[in-house]
Amino acid sequence: MKKFGLLLFAVCAFSFAFAQEDEDGSTMNQPIDRAPAEYPWKQVEVNELSDPIPYAPIRQADVMAYYTIWRTIDLREKVNHPLYFPTEVRGTWRSLAQTILDAIDMDNEEATEGTLPLYSDDMCTMPYSRDDIKGIMSYSYEMAQIDPETMEETGTQTITINFDAKEITCYNIKEIWYFDKQESRFKYQIMTIQPIFEYERPNTSSGYDEESNDDEEAVSNPLTKRMLGYIYYDELRPFLAKQEVFNVKNDAQRLSFDDLLTWKRYFSSLIYKESNTYDREIQDYIANARDQRIESEKITERLRTFESDLWEF
């Protein structure tokens, strides 16, 4: 009797499977699980990245010494390429600049809550309005209108161009290096970050200079830099923690921009200013570019050896 029951169940199941068969030969109306073209396995992890890891609490009484350092991160250096690429959005993969611009969300002009504010000072006390940010992220110029028949100027036309994420080529960051006596360790923390646009200024002239024999030199346009504004790094971290970045060492290990910048510091930078009496940058008292880099390396070495110099044997 038991064997008969099992046989009857198998026949019914077999008949049901063929009853559900479509004309194209596929069975069942359930979706077929296929892995994306990027992976030869089934991609299981679909959850978002976690929230940013909070800093360890700091007591003012434990800070025995601290220094304020300003750095510049040049995205043209090879080690900084994961911060610059991709230049165009590819699915959920975005560059650091695109992540920042998406956080500012200028497409929604009325949005204020949940967007990233910009400040006009490095103390982050005076925020820009939405109109101010819109003006910073675009530029306008006058273009002469020429009559194609008479080649005479008939008027001018105002052209407005909006900046793109790929035009952000470097960042200025301000950070605090301090010695925590509770942990007997020299620690650091990024305070602000400042994106810098670099764009080619249009040549509004005819492009030919009668006094110059080199046409290429006459039509070349100079590169112009513009500061986007100061961003309070703690307000940016929640957006960085949600954005995955390309890991040059292992594709299977997921990293966020917060991991890369805050904790692992996978970037190359150059110090251009340290806190001083006259509040001046290195270029203000050293003119030669080579000597400026040497001075920057001296400051870096002094920070590196500060902790070890406190130990006595």
Side-chain angles (χ1 to χ4, degrees), residues 273-302:
K273 180 183 177 182
E274 67 171 338
S275 52
N276 58 85
T277 305
Y278 308 103
D279 192 27
R280 58 183 182 179
E281 299 180 5
I282 294 177
Q283 63 178 358
D284 295 333
Y285 59 91
I286 298 179
N288 185 274
R290 175 179 172 274
D291 293 338
Q292 291 175 11
R293 179 171 288 273
I294 294 175
E295 179 69 14
S296 174
E297 292 175 354
K298 285 182 180 179
I299 299 173
T300 303
E301 185 63 23
R302 186 167 68 248

Side-chain angles (χ1 to χ4, degrees), residues 47-308:
N47 296 329
E48 295 182 353
L49 295 168
S50 61
D51 295 330
I53 301 174
Y55 296 116
I58 309 170
R59 288 197 324 140
Q60 182 179 358
D62 293 335
V63 178
M64 302 302 297
Y66 82 92
Y67 304 95
T68 307
I69 300 296
W70 286 263
R71 301 175 181 271
T72 181
I73 303 175
D74 192 346
L75 300 185
R76 289 168 293 192
E77 295 188 35
K78 187 175 181 180
V79 69
N80 295 329
H81 282 179
L83 299 175
Y84 182 74
F85 292 99
T87 55
E88 303 292 340
V89 178
R90 293 183 55 192
T92 58
W93 189 22
R94 288 168 171 78
S95 64
L96 176 59
Q98 190 64 55
T99 303
I100 293 175
L101 296 184
D102 290 345
I104 297 172
D105 192 16
M106 284 308 299
D107 293 336
N108 189 358
E109 298 182 0
E110 298 180 356
T112 54
E113 296 184 0
T115 59
L116 182 66
L118 290 178
Y119 299 90
S120 59
D121 62 320
D122 65 347
M123 296 298 178
C124 297
T125 58
M126 296 181 289
Y128 281 121
S129 65
R130 303 291 287 184
D131 293 336
D132 293 336
I133 298 175
K134 187 177 181 180
I136 294 173
M137 296 179 60
S138 63
Y139 68 95
S140 302
Y141 62 94
E142 300 289 334
M143 177 65 73
Q145 291 181 323
I146 306 297
D147 190 336
E149 296 183 356
T150 62
M151 300 303 294
E152 295 180 354
E153 183 176 339
T154 59
T156 58
Q157 179 184 7
T158 302
I159 299 177
T160 302
I161 298 178
N162 296 321
F163 289 119
D164 201 358
K166 62 184 178 182
E167 292 173 317
I168 295 180
T169 59
C170 60
Y171 297 91
N172 289 340
I173 62 174
K174 172 187 173 183
E175 56 188 9
I176 302 293
W177 287 76
Y178 62 94
F179 181 77
D180 188 347
K181 73 172 184 179
Q182 197 70 17
E183 299 183 19
S184 296
R185 193 160 62 93
F186 204 41
K187 303 162 69 175
Y188 60 85
Q189 188 168 321
I190 299 177
M191 302 305 297
T192 63
I193 183 170
Q194 184 184 32
I196 300 176
F197 291 105
E198 188 176 38
Y199 61 98
E200 190 175 274
R201 189 169 54 198
N203 190 352
T204 57
S205 63
S206 61
Y208 177 74
D209 187 1
E210 294 181 357
E211 297 180 359
S212 175
N213 296 326
D214 190 355
D215 292 346
E216 293 184 0
E217 182 180 351
V219 300
S220 62
N221 300 328
L223 291 176
T224 304
K225 291 185 177 182
R226 175 178 293 188
M227 312 296 181
L228 175 59
Y230 295 95
I231 300 172
Y232 184 40
Y233 190 71
D234 284 355
E235 294 176 340
L236 178 62
R237 285 192 65 200
F239 299 98
L240 299 181
K242 296 295 183 181
Q243 181 57 54
E244 188 175 3
V245 63
F246 178 74
N247 188 351
V248 296
K249 296 185 177 180
N250 185 1
D251 288 353
Q253 183 183 7
R254 299 182 66 188
L255 283 178
S256 67
F257 278 119
D258 186 52
D259 297 327
L260 186 144
L261 293 172
T262 308
W263 305 111
K264 297 184 179 296
R265 291 181 70 89
Y266 284 162
F267 62 86
S268 174
S269 62
L270 186 68
I271 296 177
Y272 68 90
K273 180 183 177 182
E274 67 171 338
S275 52
N276 58 85
T277 305
Y278 308 103
D279 192 27
R280 58 183 182 179
E281 299 180 5
I282 294 177
Q283 63 178 358
D284 295 333
Y285 59 91
I286 298 179
N288 185 274
R290 175 179 172 274
D291 293 338
Q292 291 175 11
R293 179 171 288 273
I294 294 175
E295 179 69 14
S296 174
E297 292 175 354
K298 285 182 180 179
I299 299 173
T300 303
E301 185 63 23
R302 186 167 68 248
L303 293 173
R304 186 182 294 114
T305 59
F306 179 88
E307 181 179 342
S308 61

Side-chain angles (χ1 to χ4, degrees), residues 38-51:
E38 295 90 341
Y39 315 104
W41 55 84
K42 180 179 178 180
Q43 187 74 0
V44 177
E45 187 179 359
V46 294
N47 296 329
E48 295 182 353
L49 295 168
S50 61
D51 295 330

